[in-house]
Amino acid sequence: QVQLQESGPRLVKPSETLSITCSVSGGSISSHFWSWIRQSPGKGLEWVGYIYSSGSTNHNPSLKSRVTILADTSKNQFSLNLTSVTAADTAIYYCARYFTGTTGGYFDYWGQGALVTVSS
Amino acid sequence: SYELTQPPSVSVSPGQTASITCSGDKLGDKYSCWFQQKPGQSPVLVIYQDNRRPSGIPERFSGSSSGNTATLTISGTQAMDEADYYCQSWDSSTVVFGGGTKLTVL
C-alpha cells in the first residue's frame, strides 16, 4: 500500500517561497508520476503540477513560472517550491500519485494534506 | 484553457439515484475520473477511466461518458455518500478538475 506524507513549514510570509516535501513509502518514486494538488479553504481542487521519475515536469499554466517540482530518488521524496507567494496561495497542499497512460490518468493515492498559510 | 463544469449542488433522497454531471469539450474522447471528498479528509478515487471502480468502492457507484458529458451515478444513495464530488480529466498534458458538486442526502 502506497502512503504519502507531506511535511514543511505551515506558515510562510508574503513574497517568500513556499517549500513542501512529500515522503513516499510502500512504493518507489522511480516509477509513475507524482503530483501536487491544492485546495484553498472552502474551495475546489486545483492541480499544481507533477514530476516523472526522469525529472520531466509539468505544471498548471495559471501558476506561470512560480512552480518548481523536484524529486530525490535516494530519499524517495519529491518537493514543491512556489515562489512569490501571496494570501491567494493559502491552501491545503496534497501530494498524490498520478497513475497515467496514453489517454490521461488519475490520482490513486493521496497524502493527508498540509495546510500552508501565507501571512505576515 | 480546458474547463470542466459541474453543478454546484445536487440533492437526493436516501435510497434514490443521484446523478452528477461533468461537462467539457469532447470530454467523451478523453478518460474521466471522479473523487469523493468528505469534510476534513483527502479526496478518494471512486471512478477511473470513465467507468472503472477501484477496489473497495461500493458497487452503487458507477460512471459513464459520452459526447461532452461524463456522469457519476450513485444508486441506492446512502447518508454516508453525502460529500463533495469532483470530476477530473486532462488536456494537452495538463490535469483539469471540475469545480465540484456538493451532494446532499435528505
Side-chain angles (χ1 to χ4, degrees), chain A residues 32-76:
Chain A
H32 299 296
F33 286 74
W34 302 89
S35 188
W36 291 99
I37 299 123
R38 70 181 186 178
Q39 185 171 34
S40 300
K43 302 297 184 182
L45 300 172
E46 179 183 26
W47 175 67
V48 174
Y50 59 57
I51 186 167
Y52 187 58
S53 57
S54 64
S56 64
T57 61
N58 199 3
H59 62 268
N60 191 323
S62 70
L63 296 170
K64 295 183 172 62
S65 58
R66 297 196 295 133
V67 172
T68 301
I69 299 176
L70 299 172
D72 185 338
T73 54
S74 68
K75 295 182 178 178
N76 218 36

Side-chain angles (χ1 to χ4, degrees), chain A residues 4 7 9 11 13 17 28 34-37 39-40 44 56 62-63 97 103 108 116 119-120:
Chain A
L4 300 94
S7 62
L11 181 63
K13 290 182 169 55
T17 297
S28 171
W34 302 89
S35 188
W36 291 99
I37 299 123
Q39 185 171 34
S40 300
S56 64
S62 70
L63 296 170
R97 189 178 81 167
T103 53
D108 54 356
V116 180
S119 176
S120 56

